[in-house]
Amino acid sequence: MIKETPNPPGSETDTDPASPYESLDSKKFHEAAERALDHYLNPAALKEAKTPRKPSTMFMVAPDMDSESLLANACESMASASVMLSDFADLLEGPHRNKALGIAQVVMLGELAVNRALDNIDPKG
């Protein structure tokens, strides 16, 4: 004898019975997979479907800033980051310290490059 069991609560889906998707989550998963495939296999279709991104103006550099001022500010920011990373590395030990010192070295190399670019700019007369 087969005992009839009722459907457990919450087993009903909110989708159309003719839909190939089991639930709304599977539909979202399918859409995400399609976007990922388009990104790698058909980037032209992705660009056509997208509207141009409008950058946020919350933290915007003034468009009329001269290159010398921008480079000087970048140099100061990188020097500060280098000092903070060195101080932070002093608090660490082992491989974590080596990673922090490696990041500090990359920042320092960037600072040197910005300094050289700043040296190459003719000062305003």
Side-chain angles (χ1 to χ4, degrees):
M1 178 182 334
I2 299 175
K3 182 178 177 183
E4 289 187 32
T5 56
N7 289 337
S11 65
E12 298 85 19
T13 60
D14 295 334
T15 60
D16 181 13
S19 174
Y21 307 111
E22 292 179 18
S23 67
L24 291 177
D25 288 338
S26 65
K27 184 175 181 179
K28 288 180 184 179
F29 178 75
H30 177 73
E31 290 169 354
E34 287 295 323
R35 282 193 309 273
L37 288 171
D38 284 344
H39 176 75
Y40 289 106
L41 302 177
N42 192 6
L46 190 61
K47 288 180 183 175
E48 292 171 4
K50 244 188 201 181
T51 58
R53 186 180 78 83
K54 183 182 175 200
S56 172
T57 56
M58 181 181 264
F59 301 107
M60 190 174 95
V61 175
D64 59 343
M65 290 295 296
D66 59 297
S67 296
E68 185 177 7
S69 298
L70 292 171
L71 284 170
N73 189 288
C75 184
E76 290 174 6
S77 295
M78 293 181 91
S80 297
S82 181
V83 169
M84 287 186 286
L85 279 164
S86 295
D87 289 348
F88 180 63
D90 286 341
L91 303 174
L92 301 174
E93 294 180 3
H96 297 297
R97 176 184 168 88
N98 294 340
K99 288 176 192 172
L101 289 172
I103 295 169
Q105 185 175 10
V106 170
V107 171
M108 193 182 314
L109 291 172
E111 180 189 357
L112 288 172
V114 171
N115 266 325
R116 178 54 56 107
L118 195 54
D119 290 341
N120 292 339
I121 291 182
D122 292 329
K124 292 182 179 180

